[in-house]
Amino acid sequence: MQLQLSTWQEVQEYLKTSTGIVIPIGSTEQHGPNGLVGTDALTAEIIGRALGEKTGCLVAPTISVGMAVHHMDFTGSMTYRPSTLISVIFDYVQSLARHGFTRMMFVNGHGGNIATTNAAFYEIYSHRQSAGMDNQQVKCLLANWWEGPETKKLCADLYPEGHGSHATPSEVAVTWAAYPDRVKYVDMEPVIAPTGRFTDAADYRRRFPDGRIGSNPNLATVEDGKRIIAASVNDLSVTYRDFLAS
Ligand code: NI
């Protein structure tokens, strides 16, 4: 059930049965030669909405731009400053809390969002505490779609080599499963991209000239993507159920 495809009365009815909501959060940034710029927003949204279909939870509008300052030397990338993203998350949560939502699970598609999202949660808790509100009433949880046990095992089995950490075959496969007309295989040199650390956007571009880190996204297939989505939804269903009970 999507918030945006519901009427306000339907949302009111939903709140009588549950005060939980799932919020997909991603990023709009380069994903190598055959990954879509929207990969991290799309993966979070595809999996978040599939979770909504499986569990009946309400799914909020996706936060499609994230913290991607380090990707900005690649064309098409967009970013919020960390302070802006904190404000966006703060306002999402405060808006939903006003109507009675108490459990906000952010399904995340981008590793670069983790620090800022957790900072935002503490901004929210700090604000509510200062205002004398009960923090037990509103809880936020960040759930990375790739992190559950079934998903991790499946990705390790599918891609024992060349998974890497950016523009990975698993994330590319998830987007292709939902947008099969965007499947594209491209010659990449080297076949598996280098790995390593970086500082800012210029350093990233210099070390990883085509945008990939440690990955061979040509391993992705639509079929893999369907399996990864199902595995992630299974993992996140458990996370969400436990979160609601917390
Ligand atoms: Ni990504």
Side-chain angles (χ1 to χ4, degrees):
M1 182 178 176
Q2 287 183 50
L3 180 72
Q4 288 170 301
L5 300 182
S6 308
T7 65
W8 73 264
Q9 291 95 338
E10 286 166 350
V11 178
Q12 201 169 52
E13 283 305 304
Y14 171 87
L15 277 162
K16 289 177 187 162
T17 65
S18 172
T19 58
I21 189 162
V22 161
I23 305 163
I25 179 169
S27 184
T28 299
E29 65 187 43
Q30 69 82 15
H31 268 77
N34 67 345
L36 306 176
V37 169
T39 296
D40 289 352
L42 295 170
T43 51
E45 184 170 274
I46 292 159
I47 290 167
R49 288 180 180 174
L51 179 65
E53 277 163 29
K54 178 168 171 146
T55 66
C57 66
L58 196 62
V59 182
T62 304
I63 301 176
S64 290
V65 173
M67 211 305 286
V69 170
H70 50 296
H71 288 283
M72 291 307 292
D73 272 10
F74 293 89
T75 313
S77 299
M78 296 174 68
T79 189
Y80 283 136
R81 287 166 289 156
S83 54
T84 312
L85 184 57
I86 288 171
S87 296
V88 169
I89 294 168
F90 188 100
D91 288 352
Y92 258 62
V93 170
Q94 289 290 89
S95 301
L96 294 166
R98 181 183 170 98
H99 305 306
F101 289 95
T102 63
R103 295 291 179 276
M104 330 271 179
M105 186 168 97
F106 288 75
V107 171
N108 180 39
H110 175 47
N113 284 343
I114 295 171
T116 306
T117 304
N118 282 316
F121 294 167
Y122 279 105
E123 282 288 335
I124 292 155
Y125 297 152
S126 169
H127 167 82
R128 296 183 63 84
Q129 209 164 288
S130 305
M133 297 173 189
D134 179 3
N135 272 338
Q136 290 308 308
Q137 288 293 319
V138 170
K139 290 183 183 176
C140 302
L141 181 73
L142 182 70
N144 300 315
W145 70 255
W146 61 87
E147 220 164 49
E150 187 177 332
T151 312
K152 266 178 137 167
K153 183 177 184 310
L154 175 60
C155 292
D157 289 347
L158 288 172
Y159 313 115
E161 280 182 10
H163 186 267
S165 58
H166 186 70
T168 65
S170 60
E171 60 182 341
V172 169
V174 169
T175 61
W176 286 358
Y179 300 95
D181 58 320
R182 299 302 296 145
V183 172
K184 186 174 161 184
Y185 293 97
V186 176
D187 285 337
M188 299 182 205
E189 180 56 40
V191 170
I192 297 179
T195 55
R197 300 180 71 83
F198 58 87
T199 53
D200 59 0
D203 190 41
Y204 187 119
R205 175 96 194 219
R206 190 169 57 245
R207 289 174 193 269
F208 310 105
D210 71 6
R212 298 174 295 146
I213 301 180
S215 68
N216 175 13
N218 280 326
L219 297 171
T221 68
V222 167
E223 199 47 46
D224 290 354
K226 290 179 183 167
R227 292 179 63 191
I228 295 166
I229 293 166
S232 182
V233 167
N234 285 342
D235 284 333
L236 291 171
S237 300
V238 175
T239 307
Y240 184 67
R241 186 197 62 205
D242 292 349
F243 180 48
L244 287 184
S246 71

